[in-house]
Amino acid sequence: MARARQERAEITRQAILDGAATAFDLSGFEGTSLSDVVKHAGVTKGALYFHFPSKEALARTLMDEQFQVSEHVPAVENPGLQTVIDLTHQMAHGLRSNVRIRAGIRLVIEFGSFTNPDPAPYDAWIDTCRGCLTPAQERGDINPSLDVQDLSTLLVGAFTGIQVTSYVRTRREDLHTRVTDLWDFLLPTIVPPQRIGRFRPEGSPEAVPPAPTH
């Protein structure tokens, strides 16, 4: 009986997060009310407050979820530059196919850019990149003169700008192409010429899901 209650509670919690993601993706944080979340989730306000005390708590949960795309990095045997390339394409795929990732990223940008800016999500992305690029540089895959922290910061900023521009211009239809462009232009600058051929700017076939079709 207790297990059944727990399962029902988790189903409700996930429905609330799905509803919140849909609402935030459509209207952003300021434009979304808890009534919007309830409507999209198909739950009562009482159920919502049982799981989440506020709109801010919902937003924080969705922002935390957007890091799931990099959760497997610690399990990669030899993380490096291709790992970061693949992560950018995996994030691009998530933005095109998963409303919870879209909502999380929109909230990160809103919370990190305007009222009471919070750098924590960006810092976490930068740390993930640095953790892959440091061993890459040690192996000779990145020019030794480059500062890996600065490079990681540049990559996070570039990807953020690219996905926002792609959303405004094409609703992210061209996002994978634009991310590939980023790496096509960047790799000759950061990688020694004799090692360029090791890397796939379009992402590894085994690591990057096919782009969604409509």
Side-chain angles (χ1 to χ4, degrees), residues 77-123:
E77 187 173 352
N78 293 302
L81 178 55
Q82 189 64 52
T83 311
V84 177
I85 295 171
D86 291 346
L87 281 173
T88 59
H89 282 286
Q90 288 164 1
M91 183 65 80
H93 177 79
L95 283 165
R96 294 192 62 197
S97 62
N98 188 321
V99 69
R100 278 162 73 157
I101 291 177
R102 286 198 301 274
I105 295 297
R106 175 167 182 164
L107 291 165
V108 164
I109 292 172
E110 289 184 6
F111 275 63
S113 305
F114 304 109
T115 305
N116 299 318
D118 179 8
Y122 293 104
D123 290 342

Side-chain angles (χ1 to χ4, degrees), residues 110-204:
E110 289 184 6
F111 275 63
S113 305
F114 304 109
T115 305
N116 299 318
D118 179 8
Y122 293 104
D123 290 342
W125 287 344
I126 291 166
D127 287 345
T128 295
C129 290
R130 188 184 65 230
C132 296
L133 297 180
T134 297
Q137 189 176 54
E138 292 168 353
R139 291 194 294 267
D141 289 337
I142 293 177
N143 290 323
S145 61
L146 296 179
D147 185 297
V148 172
Q149 175 71 19
D150 290 344
L151 176 57
S152 300
T153 304
L154 171 69
L155 286 171
V156 170
F159 180 84
T160 301
I162 285 169
Q163 74 88 8
V164 170
T165 304
S166 176
Y167 171 74
V168 172
R169 294 184 66 245
T170 70
R171 291 300 185 266
R172 300 194 180 98
E173 288 290 332
D174 69 342
L175 184 52
H176 284 286
T177 301
R178 300 286 79 82
V179 172
T180 300
D181 288 344
L182 167 68
W183 291 109
D184 276 332
F185 285 109
L186 190 60
L187 288 177
T189 302
I190 68 173
V191 178
Q194 68 273 19
R195 291 183 176 257
I196 288 272
R198 295 169 177 253
F199 305 105
R200 302 181 66 116
E202 74 279 11
S204 304

